[in-house]
Amino acid sequence: MAVGTVLVSGGTGYIGSFTSLALLEHGYDVVIVDSLCNSSKVALDRIDLICGKRPAFYELDVTDEDALDRVFKKHPAIDSVIHFAALKAVGESGEIPLEYYRVNVGGTLALLRAMSKNNVPNIVFSSSATVYGDATRFPNMIPIPERCPIGPTNTYGHTKAMVEQIITDHIEAERNKLKKAGQAFEHFNGALLRYFNPCGAHPSGLMGEDPQGVPYNLLPLLGKVATGEREKLLVFGDDYPSRDGTAIRDYIHVVDLARGHLVALNYLREHKPGVRAWNLGSGRGSTVFEMIKAFGSVVGRDLPYEVMPRRQGDVLDLTANPALANKELGWKTELTMEKACEDLWRWVSNNPRGYRQDPPAELLEA
Ligand code: NAD
Ligand code: WQD
């Protein structure tokens, strides 16, 4: 029998597909809902290929409360939700803010309502380190602990901070309702997982990030420079007060990140703590130049770059203090950013067209 059944919104996307795989590998049943606006159903085949189990799948928009309600009714065993479905491009969020609020905030409202209607008690939410904004504005907040005051600096970050608040208020209200009725109020629980910079791919080379549009994150772009799809990497600023002048980020392997969701969910189910926020990062910061070097050494040659002015909205340093997740969840990263570079290179070099091509036979035989 399954350990539990989890509805994963956005489960065919990058982090959602790795988390669905981790859940299946640890005995959970998985029901994915996704609109496929930034992902492909082929992710389901790859999950199956790797672990021999296939999630149930429904193509729907997460803002459609009635469609969600029908899925919960069809799968009454669902007792938890991991909520990934969202729009995530920081630059675009400033251009079409209403769409970001509709999907990210409106989608969460629809999901929470459908969960309430169907008495589904646990939610794990994809938040982001971006909620902290520029933590260097406070003394002693790098590496960033969860107690660092939040202060997003872009629309995307505002949607994440709002959803954190909405989940917090909702769970508290649900618990109070049960308390008043003299029932076990610990029933409702939430985890707010603040990820730092997710990257990498599955070590098999069979699963990785395959967004529909043009990538804007550092590692996917480095992948494109390495395959020759891009001539060079544009480095956004070498005048930061860091060890080499470029900005510092905490790069976390997507396999470690997926495991973080699994342990957070297990913690909610076991300890029923109410709402908790946890940083999911390695605690190790790397500069842009260090990443170019690390990826280049995996590829086996220096990767071309050109220094440009700083990108608007970028901050000097987003490095996690992951002590709370270490202590409470017993979770810490096991895979280095060098390993993430190695796995990413295996993914992009073997699957230049992502999920739009069959994986090479060598990978299937391995
Ligand atoms: P992704 O785009 O690969 O995955 C998101 C999934 O949600 C996609 O499959 C997309 O098709 C789906 N989706 C989008 N809008 C939807 C809608 N209206 N209805 C149903 N499905 C919809 O992104 P990802 O990198 O896997 O990110 C997953 C979550 O993690 C997002 O909430 C994102 O904001 C958050 N996050 C990502 C990062 C990162 O750098 N990748 C960092 C911190 C937080
Ligand atoms: C990393 C570093 C850039 C591209 C974003 C979101 C954050 C989270 C993760 C979702 C920065 C530099 C990048 C390039 C460069 N996503 N860079 N040239 O900005 O830290 O975080 O993704 O929640 O919310 O803000 O990630 O990969 O874009 O940039 O020099 O072409 O690489 O300036 O220092 P970022 P990133």
Side-chain angles (χ1 to χ4, degrees):
M1 215 177 89
V3 181
T5 304
V6 186
L7 180 133
V8 181
S9 81
T12 43
Y14 177 42
I15 307 166
S17 58
F18 280 81
T19 302
S20 297
L21 174 65
L23 289 166
L24 289 165
E25 286 175 335
H26 288 84
Y28 282 95
D29 280 344
V30 174
V31 178
I32 291 178
V33 298
D34 201 300
S35 66
L36 301 177
C37 71
N38 196 36
S39 57
S40 150
K41 266 208 258 190
V42 176
L44 304 170
D45 302 331
R46 301 300 173 88
I47 291 172
D48 193 349
L49 200 57
I50 293 170
C51 76
K53 294 183 198 164
R54 198 182 175 82
F57 175 75
Y58 298 90
E59 184 174 342
L60 58 78
D61 195 296
V62 73
T63 59
D64 186 343
E65 190 182 328
D66 292 339
L68 289 168
D69 186 45
R70 285 193 291 276
V71 174
F72 284 120
K73 297 253 163 5
K74 196 153 176 211
H75 297 271
I78 295 172
D79 70 2
S80 306
V81 168
I82 305 187
H83 178 32
F84 294 100
L87 302 177
K88 63 162 185 176
V90 172
E92 186 188 60
S93 75
E95 288 156 21
I96 47 168
L98 296 187
E99 188 58 9
Y100 272 68
Y101 287 114
R102 185 187 76 81
V103 173
N104 295 9
V105 179
T108 308
L109 293 177
L111 192 53
L112 289 172
R113 280 201 210 96
M115 286 173 68
S116 267
K117 214 186 270 178
N118 292 279
N119 195 28
V120 174
N122 302 309
I123 181 161
V124 175
F125 171 62
S126 292
S127 189
S128 169
T130 204
V131 296
Y132 293 116
D134 185 3
T136 59
R137 70 194 192 282
F138 302 110
N140 304 321
M141 286 292 177
I142 301 283
I144 308 172
E146 290 81 355
R147 66 185 159 75
C148 178
I150 66 172
T153 55
N154 55 64
T155 301
Y156 166 74
H158 285 300
T159 70
K160 291 291 172 189
M162 275 180 199
V163 170
E164 286 200 357
Q165 192 62 56
I166 289 167
I167 290 174
T168 304
D169 293 349
H170 173 67
I171 300 281
E172 194 188 319
E174 293 286 58
R175 286 169 86 101
N176 283 340
K177 229 187 301 173
L178 291 180
K179 213 184 264 178
K180 272 195 201 134
Q183 293 171 14
F185 67 90
E186 300 90 344
H187 191 54
F188 289 97
N189 295 284
L192 313 173
L193 302 184
R194 296 174 179 161
Y195 325 149
F196 282 67
N197 285 57
C199 59
H202 196 267
S204 64
L206 294 170
M207 257 171 78
E209 187 170 12
D210 183 28
Q212 303 291 306
V214 185
Y216 66 94
N217 287 121
L218 179 63
L219 276 189
L221 286 168
L222 275 174
K224 296 217 174 282
V225 174
T227 55
E229 243 183 274
R230 291 211 170 205
E231 186 200 334
K232 60 192 168 194
L233 184 89
L234 303 178
V235 173
F236 298 139
D238 67 350
D239 57 350
Y240 284 98
S242 70
R243 49 190 173 268
D244 62 18
T246 61
I248 300 167
R249 296 291 181 269
D250 184 334
Y251 296 90
I252 168 173
H253 197 300
V254 65
V255 170
D256 275 334
L257 184 57
R259 191 170 44 81
H261 290 74
L262 179 75
V263 295
L265 177 63
N266 288 341
Y267 188 93
L268 292 191
R269 289 162 53 107
E270 195 180 325
H271 297 277
K272 303 184 185 300
V275 177
R276 305 283 292 138
W278 287 293
N279 284 342
L280 295 184
S282 69
R284 173 185 172 197
S286 304
T287 68
V288 178
F289 282 155
E290 286 164 356
M291 295 308 288
I292 297 175
K293 198 158 174 234
F295 200 68
S297 80
V298 166
V299 174
R301 64 190 159 85
D302 288 344
L303 298 173
Y305 65 83
E306 185 186 337
V307 176
M308 309 289 287
R310 292 183 185 189
R311 184 171 66 178
Q312 205 202 345
D314 273 354
V315 298
L316 162 66
D317 192 338
L318 275 174
T319 303
N321 176 345
L324 199 64
N326 292 174
K327 184 169 159 239
E328 293 186 344
L329 302 177
W331 174 91
K332 63 179 170 54
T333 55
E334 291 171 357
L335 306 169
T336 59
M337 71 84 173
E338 288 83 359
K339 169 75 172 140
C341 289
E342 196 185 307
D343 291 337
L344 177 66
W345 180 233
R346 190 175 301 107
W347 164 248
V348 294
S349 57
N350 281 291
N351 309 270
R353 292 174 53 232
Y355 289 139
R356 285 168 292 272
Q357 66 177 105
D358 288 335
E362 313 86 80
L363 292 187
L364 291 173
E365 283 152 16

